[in-house]
mmCIF file of all heavy atoms in Angstrom:
data_model
loop_
_atom_site.group_PDB
_atom_site.id
_atom_site.type_symbol
_atom_site.label_atom_id
_atom_site.label_comp_id
_atom_site.label_asym_id
_atom_site.label_seq_id
_atom_site.Cartn_x
_atom_site.Cartn_y
_atom_site.Cartn_z
ATOM 1 N N ARG T 135 -56.631 33.880 -7.881
ATOM 2 C CA ARG T 135 -57.421 33.254 -8.945
ATOM 3 C C ARG T 135 -58.486 34.201 -9.498
ATOM 4 O O ARG T 135 -59.095 33.904 -10.523
ATOM 5 C CB ARG T 135 -58.045 31.957 -8.430
ATOM 6 C CG ARG T 135 -56.981 30.900 -8.144
ATOM 7 C CD ARG T 135 -57.558 29.616 -7.596
ATOM 8 N NE ARG T 135 -56.468 28.738 -7.149
ATOM 9 C CZ ARG T 135 -56.645 27.618 -6.469
ATOM 10 N NH1 ARG T 135 -57.870 27.229 -6.146
ATOM 11 N NH2 ARG T 135 -55.617 26.878 -6.093
ATOM 12 N N ASN T 136 -58.690 35.323 -8.828
ATOM 13 C CA ASN T 136 -59.574 36.335 -9.403
ATOM 14 C C ASN T 136 -58.982 36.897 -10.694
ATOM 15 O O ASN T 136 -59.723 37.309 -11.592
ATOM 16 C CB ASN T 136 -59.836 37.453 -8.393
ATOM 17 C CG ASN T 136 -60.675 36.964 -7.223
ATOM 18 O OD1 ASN T 136 -61.686 36.284 -7.415
ATOM 19 N ND2 ASN T 136 -60.259 37.279 -6.008
ATOM 20 N N HIS T 137 -57.656 36.910 -10.790
ATOM 21 C CA HIS T 137 -57.030 37.286 -12.064
ATOM 22 C C HIS T 137 -57.366 36.265 -13.147
ATOM 23 O O HIS T 137 -57.560 36.623 -14.317
ATOM 24 C CB HIS T 137 -55.505 37.386 -11.910
ATOM 25 C CG HIS T 137 -55.046 38.539 -11.071
ATOM 26 N ND1 HIS T 137 -55.405 39.847 -11.329
ATOM 27 C CD2 HIS T 137 -54.226 38.585 -9.986
ATOM 28 C CE1 HIS T 137 -54.832 40.637 -10.443
ATOM 29 N NE2 HIS T 137 -54.115 39.904 -9.619
ATOM 30 N N ASN T 138 -57.419 34.996 -12.773
ATOM 31 C CA ASN T 138 -57.813 33.958 -13.737
ATOM 32 C C ASN T 138 -59.196 34.254 -14.298
ATOM 33 O O ASN T 138 -59.445 34.094 -15.497
ATOM 34 C CB ASN T 138 -57.840 32.583 -13.078
ATOM 35 C CG ASN T 138 -56.510 32.125 -12.507
ATOM 36 O OD1 ASN T 138 -55.599 32.915 -12.312
ATOM 37 N ND2 ASN T 138 -56.396 30.841 -12.222
ATOM 38 N N ARG T 139 -60.094 34.661 -13.417
ATOM 39 C CA ARG T 139 -61.466 34.940 -13.844
ATOM 40 C C ARG T 139 -61.518 36.132 -14.794
ATOM 41 O O ARG T 139 -62.271 36.116 -15.782
ATOM 42 C CB ARG T 139 -62.345 35.183 -12.618
ATOM 43 C CG ARG T 139 -62.489 33.946 -11.737
ATOM 44 C CD ARG T 139 -63.193 34.266 -10.443
ATOM 45 N NE ARG T 139 -64.561 34.688 -10.664
ATOM 46 C CZ ARG T 139 -65.353 35.185 -9.694
ATOM 47 N NH1 ARG T 139 -64.876 35.306 -8.453
ATOM 48 N NH2 ARG T 139 -66.584 35.556 -9.961
ATOM 49 N N ASN T 140 -60.710 37.144 -14.528
ATOM 50 C CA ASN T 140 -60.658 38.290 -15.439
ATOM 51 C C ASN T 140 -60.072 37.889 -16.795
ATOM 52 O O ASN T 140 -60.521 38.364 -17.845
ATOM 53 C CB ASN T 140 -59.837 39.423 -14.825
ATOM 54 C CG ASN T 140 -60.524 40.051 -13.622
ATOM 55 O OD1 ASN T 140 -61.737 39.949 -13.465
ATOM 56 N ND2 ASN T 140 -59.751 40.709 -12.780
ATOM 57 N N PHE T 141 -59.076 37.022 -16.766
ATOM 58 C CA PHE T 141 -58.479 36.502 -17.995
ATOM 59 C C PHE T 141 -59.526 35.735 -18.809
ATOM 60 O O PHE T 141 -59.652 35.903 -20.024
ATOM 61 C CB PHE T 141 -57.286 35.612 -17.645
ATOM 62 C CG PHE T 141 -56.564 35.003 -18.806
ATOM 63 C CD1 PHE T 141 -56.449 35.666 -20.020
ATOM 64 C CD2 PHE T 141 -55.972 33.757 -18.686
ATOM 65 C CE1 PHE T 141 -55.771 35.090 -21.095
ATOM 66 C CE2 PHE T 141 -55.301 33.170 -19.739
ATOM 67 C CZ PHE T 141 -55.198 33.841 -20.953
ATOM 68 N N GLU T 142 -60.292 34.909 -18.133
ATOM 69 C CA GLU T 142 -61.348 34.149 -18.811
ATOM 70 C C GLU T 142 -62.381 35.092 -19.430
ATOM 71 O O GLU T 142 -62.880 34.844 -20.537
ATOM 72 C CB GLU T 142 -62.030 33.196 -17.821
ATOM 73 C CG GLU T 142 -61.130 32.042 -17.384
ATOM 74 C CD GLU T 142 -61.657 31.318 -16.160
ATOM 75 O OE1 GLU T 142 -62.767 31.690 -15.669
ATOM 76 O OE2 GLU T 142 -60.968 30.402 -15.674
ATOM 77 N N ARG T 143 -62.679 36.182 -18.733
ATOM 78 C CA ARG T 143 -63.633 37.172 -19.274
ATOM 79 C C ARG T 143 -63.090 37.797 -20.551
ATOM 80 O O ARG T 143 -63.830 37.976 -21.541
ATOM 81 C CB ARG T 143 -63.903 38.249 -18.215
ATOM 82 C CG ARG T 143 -64.759 39.425 -18.708
ATOM 83 C CD ARG T 143 -66.158 38.990 -19.061
ATOM 84 N NE ARG T 143 -66.977 40.094 -19.541
ATOM 85 C CZ ARG T 143 -67.077 40.468 -20.817
ATOM 86 N NH1 ARG T 143 -66.399 39.806 -21.753
ATOM 87 N NH2 ARG T 143 -67.858 41.473 -21.164
ATOM 88 N N LEU T 144 -61.824 38.134 -20.563
ATOM 89 C CA LEU T 144 -61.236 38.752 -21.743
ATOM 90 C C LEU T 144 -61.238 37.799 -22.939
ATOM 91 O O LEU T 144 -61.390 38.227 -24.088
ATOM 92 C CB LEU T 144 -59.805 39.195 -21.450
ATOM 93 C CG LEU T 144 -59.655 40.434 -20.565
ATOM 94 C CD1 LEU T 144 -58.181 40.712 -20.306
ATOM 95 C CD2 LEU T 144 -60.310 41.652 -21.203
ATOM 96 N N GLN T 145 -61.048 36.527 -22.676
ATOM 97 C CA GLN T 145 -61.031 35.565 -23.764
ATOM 98 C C GLN T 145 -62.385 35.440 -24.454
ATOM 99 O O GLN T 145 -62.484 34.910 -25.558
ATOM 100 C CB GLN T 145 -60.553 34.204 -23.251
ATOM 101 C CG GLN T 145 -59.072 34.207 -22.875
ATOM 102 C CD GLN T 145 -58.630 32.912 -22.223
ATOM 103 O OE1 GLN T 145 -59.195 32.470 -21.227
ATOM 104 N NE2 GLN T 145 -57.629 32.282 -22.798
ATOM 105 N N GLN T 146 -63.432 35.947 -23.806
ATOM 106 C CA GLN T 146 -64.775 35.887 -24.376
ATOM 107 C C GLN T 146 -65.096 37.104 -25.250
ATOM 108 O O GLN T 146 -66.139 37.128 -25.907
ATOM 109 C CB GLN T 146 -65.812 35.797 -23.249
ATOM 110 C CG GLN T 146 -65.697 34.543 -22.397
ATOM 111 C CD GLN T 146 -66.544 34.623 -21.141
ATOM 112 O OE1 GLN T 146 -67.371 35.523 -20.989
ATOM 113 N NE2 GLN T 146 -66.335 33.696 -20.230
ATOM 114 N N THR T 147 -64.231 38.115 -25.229
ATOM 115 C CA THR T 147 -64.524 39.346 -25.950
ATOM 116 C C THR T 147 -63.695 39.440 -27.228
ATOM 117 O O THR T 147 -62.644 38.804 -27.353
ATOM 118 C CB THR T 147 -64.245 40.579 -25.070
ATOM 119 O OG1 THR T 147 -64.577 41.757 -25.793
ATOM 120 C CG2 THR T 147 -62.773 40.664 -24.671
ATOM 121 N N GLN T 148 -64.161 40.254 -28.164
ATOM 122 C CA GLN T 148 -63.427 40.505 -29.403
ATOM 123 C C GLN T 148 -62.533 41.738 -29.295
ATOM 124 O O GLN T 148 -61.884 42.116 -30.259
ATOM 125 C CB GLN T 148 -64.416 40.688 -30.567
ATOM 126 C CG GLN T 148 -65.260 39.452 -30.856
ATOM 127 C CD GLN T 148 -64.411 38.231 -31.159
ATOM 128 O OE1 GLN T 148 -63.520 38.274 -32.019
ATOM 129 N NE2 GLN T 148 -64.672 37.133 -30.449
ATOM 130 N N LEU T 149 -62.486 42.351 -28.123
ATOM 131 C CA LEU T 149 -61.663 43.541 -27.930
ATOM 132 C C LEU T 149 -60.176 43.229 -28.115
ATOM 133 O O LEU T 149 -59.731 42.101 -27.938
ATOM 134 C CB LEU T 149 -61.881 44.108 -26.522
ATOM 135 C CG LEU T 149 -63.276 44.662 -26.210
ATOM 136 C CD1 LEU T 149 -63.396 44.930 -24.714
ATOM 137 C CD2 LEU T 149 -63.556 45.928 -27.009
ATOM 138 N N ASP T 150 -59.421 44.259 -28.437
ATOM 139 C CA ASP T 150 -57.965 44.164 -28.551
ATOM 140 C C ASP T 150 -57.382 44.440 -27.160
ATOM 141 O O ASP T 150 -57.182 45.580 -26.769
ATOM 142 C CB ASP T 150 -57.469 45.192 -29.567
ATOM 143 C CG ASP T 150 -55.986 45.070 -29.880
ATOM 144 O OD1 ASP T 150 -55.221 44.607 -29.016
ATOM 145 O OD2 ASP T 150 -55.598 45.450 -30.996
ATOM 146 N N TRP T 151 -57.123 43.372 -26.403
ATOM 147 C CA TRP T 151 -56.726 43.509 -25.005
ATOM 148 C C TRP T 151 -55.326 42.959 -24.748
ATOM 149 O O TRP T 151 -54.800 42.153 -25.510
ATOM 150 C CB TRP T 151 -57.714 42.808 -24.076
ATOM 151 C CG TRP T 151 -57.968 41.354 -24.399
ATOM 152 C CD1 TRP T 151 -59.001 40.840 -25.134
ATOM 153 C CD2 TRP T 151 -57.147 40.220 -24.031
ATOM 154 N NE1 TRP T 151 -58.888 39.468 -25.240
ATOM 155 C CE2 TRP T 151 -57.766 39.062 -24.571
ATOM 156 C CE3 TRP T 151 -55.969 40.074 -23.294
ATOM 157 C CZ2 TRP T 151 -57.237 37.771 -24.398
ATOM 158 C CZ3 TRP T 151 -55.443 38.795 -23.130
ATOM 159 C CH2 TRP T 151 -56.076 37.658 -23.670
ATOM 160 N N SER T 152 -54.756 43.385 -23.628
ATOM 161 C CA SER T 152 -53.518 42.807 -23.089
ATOM 162 C C SER T 152 -53.629 42.798 -21.570
ATOM 163 O O SER T 152 -54.271 43.668 -20.982
ATOM 164 C CB SER T 152 -52.288 43.630 -23.487
ATOM 165 O OG SER T 152 -52.162 43.733 -24.888
ATOM 166 N N ILE T 153 -52.986 41.810 -20.938
ATOM 167 C CA ILE T 153 -52.935 41.750 -19.481
ATOM 168 C C ILE T 153 -51.488 41.930 -19.028
ATOM 169 O O ILE T 153 -50.609 41.140 -19.395
ATOM 170 C CB ILE T 153 -53.445 40.411 -18.928
ATOM 171 C CG1 ILE T 153 -54.837 40.069 -19.458
ATOM 172 C CG2 ILE T 153 -53.476 40.462 -17.398
ATOM 173 C CD1 ILE T 153 -55.395 38.768 -18.919
ATOM 174 N N MET T 154 -51.246 42.973 -18.247
ATOM 175 C CA MET T 154 -49.929 43.177 -17.671
ATOM 176 C C MET T 154 -49.780 42.275 -16.450
ATOM 177 O O MET T 154 -50.609 42.316 -15.542
ATOM 178 C CB MET T 154 -49.765 44.648 -17.269
ATOM 179 C CG MET T 154 -48.451 44.980 -16.586
ATOM 180 S SD MET T 154 -46.991 44.544 -17.550
ATOM 181 C CE MET T 154 -47.125 45.677 -18.930
ATOM 182 N N CYS T 155 -48.723 41.443 -16.436
ATOM 183 C CA CYS T 155 -48.552 40.430 -15.394
ATOM 184 C C CYS T 155 -47.202 40.576 -14.688
ATOM 185 O O CYS T 155 -46.299 39.739 -14.849
ATOM 186 C CB CYS T 155 -48.676 39.032 -15.997
ATOM 187 S SG CYS T 155 -50.270 38.692 -16.752
ATOM 188 N N PRO T 156 -47.026 41.628 -13.896
ATOM 189 C CA PRO T 156 -45.766 41.797 -13.165
ATOM 190 C C PRO T 156 -45.734 40.954 -11.904
ATOM 191 O O PRO T 156 -46.762 40.457 -11.440
ATOM 192 C CB PRO T 156 -45.783 43.288 -12.819
ATOM 193 C CG PRO T 156 -47.243 43.580 -12.624
ATOM 194 C CD PRO T 156 -47.975 42.708 -13.612
#
Side-chain angles (χ1 to χ4, degrees):
R135 293 178 189 171
N136 292 314
H137 291 305
N138 300 16
R139 295 172 64 188
N140 292 338
F141 180 33
E142 290 165 2
R143 174 65 180 90
L144 286 177
Q145 291 174 305
Q146 297 169 11
T147 182
Q148 297 303 308
L149 294 169
D150 187 332
W151 54 264
S152 302
I153 307 181
M154 177 57 67
C155 299

